[in-house]
Amino acid sequence: DAKTTQPTSMDCAEGRAANLPCNHSTISGNEYVYWYRQIHSQGPQYIIHGLKNNETNEMASLIITEDRKSSTLILPHATLRDTAVYYCIVGYYDMRFGAGTRLTVKP
Amino acid sequence: DVKVTQSSRYLVKRTGEKVFLECVQDMDHENMFWYRQDPGLGLRLIYFSYDVKMKEKGDIPEGYSVSREKKERFSLILESASTNQTSMYLCASSLGGGLINSPLHFGNGTRLTVT
């Protein structure tokens, strides 16, 4: 079973920040938090990952709480092309996916 | 960029046929994975391999087998296809080599229909 809990769906206005939460209360000490997204009919795309420090790359920022039991993916200026299913995963190399959050960016 | 290539985008097979789904990656990755994706069920791990000739069962291995004779190629085999194996199949790879900090890179999937 997936080790994470995410909201089923979220909406966001174009140009605004999208904040996608994830709970992973059973995360163990060496497990990383990974985020992927999947646009319809394509394979999932890697976005970002982290262990305990906040991370930022050209796509997004990842905020991990100090106790590591939850995290938030931030898309700073959402566009219509960010509409996708977003998956939060914790693990080593054998990663299990949950149902993810369906993010809809609206004009 | 890592490229993970799945041999077919769409495939239609008959019940009882032996089906081979092929996946090739071009970045010398140690780990390779097969998932299936069904509406409402998300991605489920079928098998993975962390080295040539090595394989590990995932969550739903029944009715499937795998082969990894070369590092770059990971094949999923449906020994006797059934209609409940109609699904989107996704292959992925990751660097591995003992690194636990190693994201997955996915192919674009094979949509298999078994009639």
Side-chain angles (χ1 to χ4, degrees):
Chain A
D1 287 342
K3 303 177 187 178
T4 62
T5 305
Q6 299 177 254
T8 303
S9 63
M10 294 181 64
D11 291 341
C12 177
E14 188 178 19
R16 305 296 294 269
N19 296 283
L20 291 92
C22 180
N23 286 320
H24 32 80
S25 58
T26 61
I27 191 170
S28 64
N30 291 328
E31 288 183 318
Y32 281 72
V33 180
Y34 293 84
W35 283 83
Y36 295 82
R37 72 180 183 184
Q38 187 175 26
I39 296 168
H40 182 63
S41 79
Q42 297 181 15
Q45 174 192 24
Y46 163 75
I47 301 173
I48 197 167
H49 70 284
L51 183 62
K52 51 186 171 184
N53 297 320
N54 298 338
E55 301 287 344
T56 295
N57 64 19
E58 65 278 3
M59 290 181 69
S61 295
L62 173 60
I63 309 297
I64 303 173
T65 57
E66 194 168 340
D67 64 7
R68 301 211 323 122
K69 292 184 177 181
S70 66
S71 60
T72 301
L73 178 76
I74 300 172
L75 308 177
H77 305 287
T79 71
L80 299 179
R81 286 181 292 182
D82 292 322
T83 292
V85 177
Y86 287 77
Y87 298 98
C88 166
I89 297 149
V90 299
Y92 299 116
Y93 55 84
D94 55 335
M95 297 186 205
R96 267 70 172 178
F97 286 70
T101 296
R102 182 172 297 277
L103 175 70
T104 303
V105 180
K106 298 187 174 181
Chain B
D1 270 355
V2 177
K3 188 154 187 188
V4 179
T5 303
Q6 295 184 231
S7 54
S8 303
R9 189 80 171 105
Y10 298 94
L11 208 53
V12 179
K13 296 292 181 180
R14 293 200 179 274
T15 301
E17 277 193 79
K18 189 168 186 176
V19 181
F20 293 85
L21 302 183
E22 306 288 348
C23 175
V24 176
Q25 50 92 4
D26 66 356
M27 283 300 291
D28 204 35
H29 281 179
E30 302 282 343
N31 301 330
M32 296 189 75
F33 306 79
W34 277 106
Y35 293 85
R36 65 176 282 178
Q37 185 171 30
D38 302 287
L41 295 176
L43 281 83
R44 292 180 289 168
L45 181 63
I46 306 172
Y47 268 98
F48 63 98
S49 167
Y50 53 88
D51 200 354
V52 175
K53 296 192 186 294
M54 304 301 290
K55 61 184 179 184
E56 294 283 344
K57 293 180 180 179
D59 297 324
I60 51 164
E62 297 78 19
Y64 303 94
S65 63
V66 290
S67 173
R68 192 158 180 213
E69 296 295 318
K70 293 185 178 181
K71 192 174 187 179
E72 67 270 18
R73 185 179 297 269
F74 192 37
S75 303
L76 180 70
I77 304 156
L78 286 66
E79 298 290 342
S80 177
S82 64
T83 54
N84 63 13
Q85 292 178 310
T86 291
S87 186
M88 170 70 86
Y89 289 88
L90 289 156
C91 176
S93 71
S94 67
L95 186 59
L99 293 174
I100 58 175
N101 178 17
S102 187
L104 294 172
H105 298 266
F106 282 86
N108 275 331
T110 295
R111 186 167 294 281
L112 173 67
T113 302
V114 182
T115 62

